[in-house]
């Protein structure tokens, strides 16, 4: 990991790594996604964030059969689903469940294990329409991987709006410029959904020792100092250290997710739907799922 560069003469943090999304693939029959980052890139640089899938905006025709991804397990982390267009329904073996629509966020803590399904809502299926989602995987510290599963349904109206220069940030989790987002997190982090209202700069003061990732979803975006482009469906990681400010420059209509968090500094072994600290724990997770210890859907 790079530790030498911090900030520049302007006091802005430097953008030091860019990752581009992989090829398009389907998750079940409901989510046409590209994986923007995943742990085999550089788990330490990304921590506490593990993976991000973007289901870019696409149109679904009306249907009588609900599309989505059927029953599957997770253990050791949290799945955070951001709905930008369309509606998804979720239900899981711990009794969690709900429906989220545009602007809402579903924060599912798998911890010791859940089995769940993620489907287009019945109403969206019948009506059809545009669909866009992001699913982010947030790691749990070793001490909490085998904790109790949880579920938070966070609605658009709950997120504080913060004007950040040319952009408006919706604060999903953590603290930013005196505001606090509603999501309960297991380790310190700040997550902002950022939309540019006009061409210009957005500056954010975020703890400089934290991982800071900016995932561009739509529109033109440059970041850091010197300014470097982050094309759509790429993620930029900022250098840690120093006392700098995270600088983004966007054009009107640009959309990005800002993910900042205290790194866990623990080994990451990810395999399919499980994110643990070592291989033995992955084997145990597979066995526990197969023997029904993660429960089943009602
Ligand atoms: Mn899932």
């Amino acid at each position: 990991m790079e530790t030498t560069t911090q900030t520049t003469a302007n006091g802005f943090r430097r953008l030091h790594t860019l990752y581009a999304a992989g090829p398009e693939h389907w998750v079940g029959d409901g989510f046409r996604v590209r994986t923007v980052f995943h742990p085999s890139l550089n788990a330490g640089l990304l921590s506490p964030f593990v993976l991000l899938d973007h289901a870019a905006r696409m149109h679904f025709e009306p249907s009588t059969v609900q599309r989505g991804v059927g029953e599957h397990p997770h253990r050791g982390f949290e799945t955070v689903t951001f709905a930008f267009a369309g509606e998804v329904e979720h239900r899981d073996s711990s009794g969690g469940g709900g429906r989220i629509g545009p602007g809402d966020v579903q924060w599912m803590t798998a911890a010791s294990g859940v089995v769940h399904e993620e489907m287009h809502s019945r109403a969206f299926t019948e009506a059809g329409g545009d669909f866009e989602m992001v699913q982010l995987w947030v790691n749990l510290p070793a001490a909490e991987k085998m904790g109790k599963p949880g579920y938070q349904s966070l609605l658009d109206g709950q997120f504080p709006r913060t004007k950040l220069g040319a952009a408006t940030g919706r604060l999903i989790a953590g603290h930013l410029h005196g505001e606090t987002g509603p999501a309960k997190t297991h380790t310190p982090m700040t997550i902002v959904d950022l939309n540019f209202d006009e061409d210009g700069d957005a500056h954010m003061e975020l703890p400089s020792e934290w991982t800071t990732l900016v995932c561009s979803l739509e529109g033109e975006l440059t970041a850091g100092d010197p300014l470097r482009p982050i094309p759509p469906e790429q993620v930029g990681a900022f250098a840690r250290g120093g006392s700098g400010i995270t600088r983004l420059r966007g054009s009107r209509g640009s959309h990005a997710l800002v993910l900042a968090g205290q790194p866990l500094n623990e080994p990451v072994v990810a395999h399919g739907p499980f994110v643990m600290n070592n291989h033995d724990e992955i084997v145990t997770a597979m066995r526990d799922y197969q023997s029904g210890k993660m429960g089943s859907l009602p």
Side-chain angles (χ1 to χ4, degrees):
M1 184 178 316
E2 191 156 350
T3 54
T4 49
T5 49
Q6 297 91 27
T7 55
T8 59
N10 292 327
F12 298 126
R13 290 171 77 180
R14 201 172 70 81
L15 184 67
H16 79 83
T17 306
L18 269 183
Y19 295 114
E24 234 169 51
H25 62 278
W26 283 88
V27 177
D29 64 359
F31 306 92
R32 189 184 67 186
V33 307
R34 296 178 76 197
T35 299
V36 180
F37 64 83
H38 55 86
S40 47
L41 293 173
N42 183 334
L45 179 75
L46 301 171
S47 176
F49 308 106
V50 177
L51 175 147
L52 188 142
D53 273 349
H54 181 216
R57 194 168 290 252
M58 74 171 282
H59 186 82
F60 284 89
E61 294 299 322
S63 171
T64 53
V65 181
Q66 265 180 296
R67 304 178 187 93
V69 53
E71 200 168 320
H72 62 279
H74 292 293
R75 171 180 280 180
F77 67 104
E78 305 183 286
T79 64
V80 182
T81 306
F82 303 77
F84 298 116
E87 277 188 345
V88 282
E89 285 173 3
H90 150 105
R91 57 192 190 110
D92 71 52
S93 53
S94 75
R99 185 174 68 236
I100 56 165
D104 303 338
V105 174
Q106 174 199 85
W107 197 296
M108 202 271 297
T109 306
S112 63
V114 298
V115 169
H116 76 161
E117 66 173 18
E118 299 159 271
M119 308 298 288
H120 293 188
S121 73
R122 192 161 292 282
F124 178 81
T125 301
E126 287 167 4
D130 280 356
F131 189 88
E132 184 188 3
M133 304 268 157
V134 159
Q135 187 168 87
L136 169 71
W137 291 13
V138 177
N139 211 349
L140 288 170
E144 298 184 49
K145 282 186 178 294
M146 293 302 284
K148 211 167 137 329
Y151 179 80
Q152 302 172 65
S153 199
L154 306 166
L155 303 180
D156 182 40
Q158 294 175 256
F159 302 125
R161 263 69 170 171
T162 306
K163 190 69 184 153
L164 300 161
T168 300
R170 292 190 315 140
L171 184 55
I172 312 299
H175 305 290
L176 183 72
H177 304 180
E179 302 273 6
T180 302
K184 291 183 191 71
T185 68
H186 291 255
T187 56
M189 69 187 71
T190 292
I191 297 181
V192 183
D193 178 42
L194 196 67
N195 284 284
F196 281 83
D197 309 307
E198 54 187 319
D199 297 355
D201 280 13
H203 293 180
M204 272 168 279
E205 288 185 58
L206 296 162
S208 61
E209 296 304 325
W210 284 12
T211 297
T212 303
L213 306 175
V214 173
C215 181
S216 171
L217 298 174
E218 198 179 335
E220 282 177 40
L221 190 70
T222 55
D225 192 8
L227 285 161
R228 288 173 61 189
I230 308 179
E233 296 195 309
Q234 295 200 18
V235 65
F238 284 83
R240 290 192 189 132
S243 56
I245 292 169
T246 297
R247 172 172 70 165
L248 300 175
R249 179 171 294 172
S251 56
R252 184 170 179 270
S254 293
H255 181 204
L257 278 177
V258 179
L259 313 172
Q262 189 177 77
L264 299 183
N265 296 321
E266 293 174 347
V268 177
V269 179
H271 183 84
F274 309 123
V275 182
M276 304 302 290
N277 300 112
N278 60 58
H279 179 71
D280 285 354
E281 291 168 348
I282 295 287
V283 172
T284 304
M286 291 196 263
R287 194 181 303 135
D288 286 353
Y289 169 56
Q290 281 154 12
S291 65
K293 282 190 186 157
M294 294 184 192
S296 58
L297 289 180

